[in-house]
Amino acid sequence: MALLYAFGLSCAFLLAARPISISAFTQLQSSTRGRPAKPNIIFIMADDLGVGHLGCYGQNQIRTSNIDRLSQEGLRFMQAYAGCTVCAPSRSTLMTGLHMGHTPVRLNPGGIPLRATDVTVAEVLKKAGYATGIFGKWGLGDARTTGVPEKHGFDQSFGYLHQVHAHFYYPEYLWKNGTKFPLTENIGGKRRQYSHDLIVSEALQFVRAHRDVPFFLYLAPTIPHLELLVPEDSLDEYRGRFAEIPYHDPRGHYADQATPRAAIAGMITRLDQSVGQLMSLLEELNLDQNTIVFFTSDNGAQNGYGCDPDFFKASGPFRGYKQDLYEGGIRVPMIVRWRGQVRAGSVTDQIWAHWDFMTTATELAGARAPSNTDGVSLLPAILDKPQRQHPFYYWEFGETAKLAQAVRLGDWKAIRTRPGVALELYDLRRDAGEKNNVATEHPDVVARIEKIMKTARVEPPPQIEPPKEPGKKYQ
């Protein structure tokens, strides 16, 4: 058994910039010796993990030593963005390489499937010779729909299909390769098989089984998403350390939690331990120099339901939380570690968004992304080379009649919280906390962004949720 991925010092939440311009990957290939032609690709997507929840982004109350070490051995992005401010649309941008104006899944009731014609990064990598696996929350198509993982390029899958099913850590079943996988020790409300641990175990088995071929591992843990439950060994580390206000869900949807602050801290540390297990396995199998690891979150931190993000400063210095298009709802951690290729302990101000992963991963694999992608490859920035820029970044949230929109244009960030209201404008270089609306002072910028908001989107396909799988915890 590999040694536990060792303790690392926490990093400060500091910004550092590098000059960026245009470069070609072919030039990078010829100038770098010993780079694997097809490195293994691991993408870890935490769930509702705020940018401030990690030690390497300023957290000082929750232990995240393994993720902090990942940062010390790799590159930390200080301006990374989720695809959306909620789960399913954000994962849709990641898988399709299309931003929120174009990606097929735009709403978040759960179960809206990808269409048969939608192309995912897994499909492209599979054609390039990669073994592909998704472990954790999928959220892009329930059973018997066009959106299940096996219809979109994944050889193996284990975890949750429907995102509401993923609200619960002790379910009576998960899904394995399209088939129900019963968790018999949880039947009748028992809490004996913690889904996160099972998901990580399956992911580790996938790595072992594919150690001799290129693989793409998409590890999508549900931690620290609600409900606030974690096994006693993780809860014990924090129980009694914080003043607590017990949480009770009057709907009976989420489990009650007497110590919610200790629970969420314990969940994040358990996630951190799982990252350590994975890194140790890469070292044990001598894969760590042939594997690039990405670590991020699907959106900002959850507010309410006992989560108390302000207590942990989960949004860092930013305004807002999950379901907001202010920075706290879409600014996320992003760490890239690739031993021998990525400069250890480096920090960048290069902007990164989830829809950039398609082009980045396919370029790593020597493959070609779909022609309609909205992303650009961030491989030059990852390798400390000049980087091509996006002309703008676009987000939206909600149904068309209630649509909220946001655009980043250079250092300008504009938000319209609903149709018909005035645009808010912020200068992120001077006002990262979005406290000072300067729209009236810059009508020219407002006009440019108004035009982008009108042209950056097309109407989505019908966002129809199929019937859910039956079950009392699936309502």
Side-chain angles (χ1 to χ4, degrees), residues 425-448:
L425 183 67
Y426 302 96
D427 181 354
L428 295 181
R429 185 165 57 92
R430 296 183 174 89
D431 180 24
E434 295 169 297
K435 297 177 181 178
N436 185 26
N437 179 6
V438 294
T440 58
E441 300 168 32
H442 300 278
D444 56 330
V445 178
V446 170
R448 289 167 62 195

Side-chain angles (χ1 to χ4, degrees), residues 9 36 49 67 188-189 234 259 262 266 278 398 416 428:
L9 297 175
L49 185 78
I67 298 170
S234 291
T259 57
L278 179 57
R416 173 173 283 123
L428 295 181

Side-chain angles (χ1 to χ4, degrees), residues 86-130:
V86 290
C87 168
S90 195
R91 292 161 198 269
S92 183
T93 71
L94 179 78
M95 285 291 104
T96 64
L98 301 172
H99 65 51
M100 280 298 296
H102 299 140
T103 204
V105 178
R106 310 265 186 103
L107 298 180
N108 201 47
I112 296 171
L114 294 173
R115 301 162 296 183
T117 54
D118 294 324
V119 178
T120 70
V121 63
E123 291 175 76
V124 179
L125 292 177
K126 185 173 181 177
K127 289 180 181 178
Y130 278 69

Side-chain angles (χ1 to χ4, degrees), residues 157-161 165 170-187 193-195 197-199 201-202 205 469:
S157 63
F158 183 80
Y160 301 92
L161 296 178
H165 187 205
Y170 293 96
E172 295 186 356
Y173 67 90
L174 293 172
W175 291 94
K176 186 170 185 176
N177 302 327
T179 302
K180 272 189 177 179
F181 185 85
L183 305 183
T184 57
E185 295 181 50
N186 291 342
I187 292 174
Q193 291 175 284
Y194 193 61
S195 61
D197 294 349
L198 300 175
I199 287 164
S201 177
E202 290 281 337
Q205 290 180 40
E469 276 287 308

